[in-house]
Each structure stands twice: as C-alpha cells, then as structure tokens.
Amino acid sequence: ALPIYSTKVRTEFTLGQYSSAEEVNQAVSQIKYMGKGSMTGLALKHMFQKSFTAAEGARATSLRVPKVAIVFTDGRAQDDVANWADKAKQSGIIIYAIGVAKAIEEELREIASVPQDRHLFYAEEFSSMGEITEKLKSSICEGWTQRQQNTEPLPPDRK
C-alpha cells in the first residue's frame, strides 16, 4: 500500500491492487506532489486504521507475513506522531522511519520500531536515498529471515 500525505492523506494504491514489482514501480512513477504540509500523525493513523486491513489487501495473520511500514518525512510534523506510531507498533506493525533534510530526530525515534539502529535512517539530502534504500532492503530481508527461523505455529485462536 502507498498512502502519501501532506496536510491530508491519500492512498495511491492498496496492498491488493498490484501483483508485480513492475506495476508498483509504474504506479509510484505516476505520483503527483501533494503540496506543503506534514501531518505525519494523521498519515500514521491512516496507515494503522486502513492500510493493513483485509479490505485493503493485507494477508491473514495465520500466513505470518510481517506488516512492515516505511515512513518518509523531510520536516517537523504538524501533529503528534507518538500516539499512532505506538498503536501501530503495539499491533505488530514494524515501522522504519526515514528522515531526509530537515526531519526531526526526536520524531523519527518516536516513529521507528526497536531496535532503532535497524529501523531509523537519516540522510542530509535526497541524493543519498540510494544508499538508504540498500540498507533498508538488507534490514527488512534480515528481519524476515530471522522471523521465519524463530516462529512457532500460531495457536488456533490467532489463525
């Protein structure tokens, strides 16, 4: 899923909308800038309440597919990020916080899952995103591998 935000949140596409990387890349390349504003807390609320639902294409808990969110920000949020970030993390969503340029470290720490050294990234400028992308891919893949090795079957009431 790809919700984008400024002073409001808009879902560009849902988890179930595309079935190939090529389709996702094409959709991402068509995204239009929303304008100034940074309601990061509102975006986290949207992600928590809508993006990871069955209606939006999320897989069943019994399939053990991790729920992973990547939050990008380039400035100070105009609202509270801690409340919705905490709710998402408590529900099992793993959040990577990516800050660029004028992003606020304290807010990135409130958003990111622990351990933060694996879930928080910062770049002075957008041209450094390639390096962050590689680190992010590595971290997500390592997390998935560790999760697969350390899981036991779900109890019947969680399937």
Side-chain angles (χ1 to χ4, degrees):
L2 182 61
I4 65 170
Y5 68 100
S6 63
T7 56
K8 57 186 176 185
V9 181
R10 177 177 75 217
T11 298
E12 289 293 321
F13 54 85
T14 65
L15 287 169
Q17 193 166 341
Y18 299 116
S19 58
S20 74
E22 184 178 319
E23 290 175 309
V24 171
N25 288 336
Q26 177 66 26
V28 169
S29 72
Q30 302 298 313
I31 294 173
K32 303 289 186 232
Y33 179 63
M34 286 185 72
K36 292 184 178 184
S38 191
M39 297 293 286
T40 310
L42 182 63
L44 288 163
K45 177 182 178 183
H46 178 92
M47 177 268 302
F48 174 71
Q49 292 182 332
K50 296 183 181 181
S51 296
F52 288 106
T53 63
E56 298 277 317
R59 292 171 183 91
T61 304
S62 62
L63 295 176
R64 297 191 176 279
V65 176
K67 294 178 179 177
V68 177
I70 303 171
V71 178
F72 290 89
T73 185
D74 65 352
R76 181 178 298 279
Q78 295 170 298
D79 58 354
D80 176 59
V81 300
N83 182 45
W84 289 105
D86 287 345
K87 286 182 181 187
K89 290 182 285 189
Q90 289 170 7
S91 77
I93 297 171
I94 300 162
I95 304 178
Y96 289 85
I98 314 297
V100 182
K102 296 179 182 177
I104 307 301
E105 183 178 356
E106 179 183 343
E107 290 178 1
L108 295 172
R109 291 190 182 286
E110 289 175 336
I111 295 168
S113 292
V114 293
Q116 290 184 343
D117 63 329
R118 291 192 46 188
H119 296 95
L120 189 153
F121 299 90
Y122 176 80
E124 299 257 341
E125 50 193 48
F126 285 96
S127 62
S128 302
M129 290 306 296
E131 182 180 322
I132 287 177
T133 300
E134 291 307 312
K135 289 179 183 177
L136 190 58
K137 281 195 264 186
S138 176
S139 182
I140 290 171
C141 290
E142 286 173 18
W144 171 249
T145 301
Q146 289 173 356
R147 183 182 174 101
Q148 290 298 95
Q149 293 170 349
N150 297 327
T151 58
E152 296 178 18
L154 285 174
D157 64 327
R158 297 252 343 255
K159 291 183 180 179

